[in-house]
Amino acid sequence: MAKIPGWLRSPHSLPLLLGLVVALPAIALVVLGVRLLEQDRALAVQRRGEMAQSAADRVVRALEHEVNSVARQLADPAWMAERPAPGTVRVLISNAGLQVEPPSALAWYPSASHLPEPPAAVFAEAEAAEFQSVDLEMALRLNRGLAVRPDVAIHSGALLRQARVLRKMNRKDEAEAVFAQLGGTNNIAIDGVPVDLIARQAQCALALASGRAGALRGAALALQTDLNAGRWRLDRPTYEFVAERLSRWLGPDARRDIDREAMAAAVEWFALRSGRRRAGDDAPQTATAETRAPTGCRSVQTGSGMAVVIWAGTPDRVAAIVALERFVVREWRPAAERAARPATVVLSAAGDARPASAASGTGVVAGTRPASETGLPWTIVTDVPVHLDLGPLAARERLLLVGLAAVLILVATGGFLVFRWRRQEIALARLQSDFVAAVSHEFRTPLTALSQFNELLEDGDELPAAKRRAYHQAQARATVRLRRLVESVLDFGRMQAGRHPYAFQPVDAGKLVSGVVDQFRAEIDGRGFVVRCEIDAGDHTIAADAEALDRAVWNLLDNAVKYSRDRREVEVTVCAATPARPGSRPEVAVAVRDFGIGIPRLEQARLFQKFVRGAGATAAGIKGTGIGLAMAQHIVAAHGGRILVESEPNVGSTFTIVIERSLS
Ligand code: ADP
């Protein structure tokens, strides 16, 4: 037969075994649960990926619908006459050139307007006087002569030069007046720049040069208002130049109209694209193919965001709508969001590489449809929120989590119970070993006394009779004590095993107690204790095992003496007790009171357990076995009674045995 290993046979290995029996299946269950959870998570990720993909397809369809319906409108020639929606402009590129509705919606145009310009030759003589011979008087006279010509272009050109010469001559007020005169002329240009725009900038420059801050601010603000209202059809370099000058003159008050600039950038892109197609800059075949079907859409990244261009038409006439991001957000994104539900959607500029990661901050596979694939102006990215309830999957996960939690709680509780059991065992083992040590000590004292008196009596034949008697009495006391001890330990063993025989007979509790007190007085004779005993008159008959009850009272007396300090008094009383419940049988109370070290309230109940000793007792170095009170309680309980304790540290204690009186 296989041998059981030694460590398994040891009583201490039982909790260990039990722990293993509980913990192993629990660990296996937890591991299984975690694996299941992982699988579920992976499944959920897959489900979410699929949901994101189908949401992306739905968004593509919804946006295609929107874009196509716009493209259809574009093909209608009457469309250009309608008022464009806010955030959009309409663009028409035909043989007549570029037409924009509303015209003021662009900060600049791909090409400036062609305003009439005066012929440069007319001013040759005046300019020679101004720049070559530097005869400013002459130049002024010549320009004044030209200014009276009826031709508006020559008139305006002459005035501009006149003002310039006056400024050089430092006749600022006159120069200012001439510039002001030019401020209302917006249909003539010099070198492609409207005359009034030149004049108004010159006015600002004059105000700055002459240190008139208020005048500069007023003129610059007015110029800015007109620039942003689209008074002039400028090309990009001119617009940038004026805007840059304004920002220098106005500082924090300078305002650039971001929407008009975005619109201008998008229209510029579109005009360039259409121009190239028509000019056939691309490979001729594709250019022709595309020119025949010039329909499409694109998002254009502008300085401030994204604009969308949708165009349709014929090779001769291409109509387009340019929409700013806010229009997209207002008109098209809701349709995309509705189609994406329950997923979320992000529309980003076609060439934007950022969306996939930016949109799905969750790190989960998102549904991505690049513009190059769909032909739409956006790259579409959909994502399914992590917290989205995936129906049965989520329910299963919840169930699993609850199950796992339950298993963990079970294991923790089991572990705790095993731990507590183990701790109690260790504590009991320690108490037992303390008990053995204490009992040995208790035995040693009377044995030592006996052997000493034996020696004295053996050696001393000539001892006086009185001494000899005293020694014999001491020997007798030690023997009684030894006997008590042995009986006490044996009785305790029997009580623990439930084998202590009790023989109940009617006993007068008063007599029994006074007998015990007398014996006890003899026992402690010479130690300076006063043991008072008061027995009330009346019937104190109880059904008792006299010997056992004798031991219980003795133990209480023994403790009273052991735990007394300087005040060596013990009071014993026997009286009728007030019954615990009204109507119950009368009771007899035997109380033993001392004035010793007392017991803290928290310790009081525990001291009736076997081997348990109070902290005060051990701290004071008072020897004991820890079984006295346990025995007393056992005995009293066998009599159907109870022991009460009232005690206060450093004041004293009263232990009271209460037993029902026998009915005579
Ligand atoms: P032992 O006295 O041998 O230690 P007991 O079971 O008789 O064991 O008493 C248990 C503990 O109760 C004692 O160790 C002591 O701390 C406390 N105790 C009992 N009686 C008294 C008393 N009269 N005064 C103070 N403490 C007491």
Side-chain angles (χ1 to χ4, degrees):
M1 225 176 76
K3 262 191 159 181
I4 301 170
W7 64 270
L8 259 183
R9 269 179 283 143
S10 142
H12 299 307
S13 60
L14 193 62
L16 187 77
L17 266 177
L18 240 148
L20 282 178
V21 167
V22 176
L24 282 180
I27 291 169
L29 254 172
V30 170
V31 170
L32 204 77
V34 170
R35 291 294 296 275
L36 268 171
L37 264 180
E38 276 172 7
Q39 275 178 9
D40 268 19
R41 293 256 153 90
L43 213 68
V45 168
Q46 197 185 336
R47 278 277 316 271
R48 286 183 35 213
E50 284 164 8
M51 283 171 86
Q53 294 297 335
S54 66
D57 289 335
R58 289 198 302 276
V59 173
V60 169
R61 279 197 298 279
L63 288 176
E64 268 171 0
H65 176 77
E66 297 287 332
V67 168
N68 287 342
S69 77
V70 172
R72 271 196 302 279
Q73 288 173 19
L74 293 181
D76 181 357
W79 166 78
M80 195 67 186
E82 283 172 28
R83 237 176 97 82
T88 66
V89 291
R90 292 186 181 152
V91 184
L92 186 67
I93 297 177
S94 62
N95 293 335
L98 175 74
Q99 203 187 325
V100 175
E101 186 56 42
S104 60
L106 305 193
W108 68 81
Y109 275 70
S111 60
S113 60
H114 297 291
L115 295 174
E117 300 211 9
V122 182
F123 304 104
E125 195 187 348
E127 292 208 332
E130 186 183 345
F131 295 110
Q132 284 163 18
S133 47
V134 200
D135 183 349
L136 295 180
E137 287 293 349
M138 168 67 92
L140 184 62
R141 216 171 27 253
L142 287 171
N143 277 320
R144 277 190 173 148
L146 288 169
V148 293
R149 294 262 192 102
D151 184 318
V152 191
I154 296 175
H155 166 77
S156 306
L159 279 182
L160 206 60
R161 286 173 173 79
Q162 195 180 316
R164 188 172 69 200
V165 174
L166 281 168
R167 202 171 56 189
K168 282 186 187 168
M169 295 165 85
N170 216 13
R171 288 155 66 176
K172 287 188 183 138
D173 290 348
E174 287 168 69
E176 168 73 44
V178 179
F179 280 136
Q181 204 180 328
L182 278 169
T185 320
N186 71 343
N187 51 357
I188 306 291
I190 307 276
D191 294 335
V193 183
V195 166
D196 58 342
L197 181 58
I198 300 175
R200 287 176 64 178
Q201 288 181 80
Q203 276 178 297
C204 294
L206 256 179
L208 180 70
S210 48
R212 287 177 292 131
L216 170 64
R217 198 180 131 75
L221 279 175
L223 177 58
Q224 176 169 269
T225 307
D226 282 349
L227 184 77
N228 287 344
R231 178 182 163 92
W232 301 285
R233 181 174 164 147
L234 306 173
D235 59 9
R236 188 172 190 161
T238 312
Y239 172 82
E240 291 288 1
F241 178 76
V242 178
E244 203 273 321
R245 287 186 96 180
L246 280 171
S247 81
R248 258 190 290 130
W249 290 332
L250 287 172
D253 288 335
R255 300 270 176 277
R256 293 181 72 132
D257 190 330
I258 295 169
D259 280 357
R260 293 179 71 246
E261 291 182 359
M263 229 27 140
V267 171
E268 187 177 52
W269 172 86
F270 178 61
L272 266 175
R273 174 207 159 273
S274 305
R276 250 205 331 269
R277 295 279 184 273
R278 279 207 306 279
D281 286 350
D282 290 338
Q285 279 165 10
T286 50
T288 321
E290 285 196 10
T291 316
R292 271 202 207 106
T295 299
C297 51
R298 251 306 283 270
S299 56
V300 181
Q301 194 69 50
T302 65
S304 60
M306 178 183 72
V308 169
V309 188
I310 302 173
W311 67 91
T314 61
D316 303 328
R317 179 191 175 283
V318 188
I321 178 168
V322 179
L324 287 179
E325 190 151 7
R326 64 184 154 90
F327 178 84
V328 175
V329 168
R330 197 179 66 228
E331 298 292 327
W332 293 329
R333 205 169 69 185
E337 279 170 352
R338 269 196 306 277
R341 256 172 234 159
T344 56
V345 63
V346 173
L347 306 178
S348 50
D352 195 350
R354 168 178 54 90
S357 51
S360 72
T362 55
V364 172
V365 196
T368 308
R369 297 288 177 274
S372 56
E373 222 174 67
T374 58
L376 285 169
W378 308 274
T379 288
I380 294 161
V381 181
T382 53
D383 183 24
V384 177
V386 193
H387 58 263
L388 192 78
D389 195 344
L390 296 177
L393 259 180
R396 227 173 79 144
E397 185 171 320
R398 271 196 297 274
L399 201 77
L400 257 168
L401 280 175
V402 169
L404 275 182
V407 167
L408 284 176
I409 290 172
L410 216 74
V411 171
T413 318
F416 172 73
L417 288 178
V418 168
F419 169 76
R420 214 176 60 169
W421 176 30
R422 186 87 193 88
R423 210 181 47 183
Q424 280 171 352
E425 264 206 343
I426 292 172
L428 196 68
R430 212 190 47 232
L431 287 176
Q432 264 168 340
S433 86
D434 287 355
F435 167 72
V436 171
V439 167
S440 320
H441 176 85
E442 296 273 313
F443 272 101
R444 204 171 298 130
T445 319
L447 278 173
T448 315
L450 266 180
S451 70
Q452 277 173 354
F453 288 116
N454 267 349
E455 276 172 25
L456 285 171
L457 285 167
E458 270 171 19
D459 298 347
D461 288 342
E462 66 284 356
L463 273 175
K467 236 179 190 166
R468 192 175 283 274
R469 206 168 36 250
Y471 288 170
H472 277 300
Q473 278 170 352
Q475 264 185 329
R477 275 202 304 275
T479 314
V480 169
R481 195 164 165 203
L482 213 52
R483 211 195 70 219
R484 260 187 201 287
L485 254 170
V486 173
E487 276 172 6
S488 163
V489 173
L490 287 177
D491 272 359
F492 176 71
R494 280 196 287 268
M495 281 173 197
Q496 287 302 302
R499 282 188 287 105
H500 189 278
Y502 288 100
F504 295 100
Q505 278 175 348
V507 172
D508 179 351
K511 267 197 194 137
L512 181 137
V513 170
S514 80
V516 178
V517 169
D518 285 345
Q519 279 180 40
F520 188 73
R521 280 194 188 119
E523 169 88 13
I524 56 164
D525 189 27
R527 289 174 57 189
F529 274 93
V530 177
V531 183
R532 281 188 290 274
C533 182
E534 261 180 50
I535 296 161
D536 278 6
D539 181 12
H540 302 308
T541 313
I542 53 174
D545 178 323
E547 201 187 322
L549 201 58
D550 194 317
R551 179 180 302 290
V553 177
W554 182 278
N555 285 357
L556 297 186
L557 285 168
D558 198 33
N559 280 348
V561 165
K562 219 161 49 170
Y563 299 111
S564 280
R565 280 186 177 145
D566 304 338
R567 192 166 164 190
R568 304 192 152 212
E569 289 171 48
V570 177
E571 286 174 7
V572 183
T573 49
V574 179
C575 59
T578 327
R581 284 181 304 279
S584 57
R585 297 248 296 269
E587 292 173 322
V588 178
V590 179
V592 178
R593 182 180 183 196
D594 66 63
F595 306 91
I597 63 172
I599 308 163
R601 179 166 290 277
L602 280 178
E603 262 189 4
Q604 289 175 6
R606 236 166 51 83
L607 296 179
F608 289 93
Q609 292 170 18
K610 61 184 176 185
F611 309 134
V612 175
R613 305 206 60 227
T618 41
I622 303 167
K623 299 281 181 237
T625 54
I627 59 170
L629 285 183
M631 277 175 83
Q633 192 177 46
H634 194 281
I635 294 166
V636 173
H639 284 75
R642 59 193 189 277
I643 299 193
L644 311 172
V645 57
E646 273 175 79
S647 183
E648 201 179 317
N650 302 320
V651 175
S653 317
T654 304
F655 285 85
T656 310
I657 295 173
V658 182
I659 296 175
E660 267 182 17
R661 211 177 72 197
S662 305
L663 294 178
S664 43

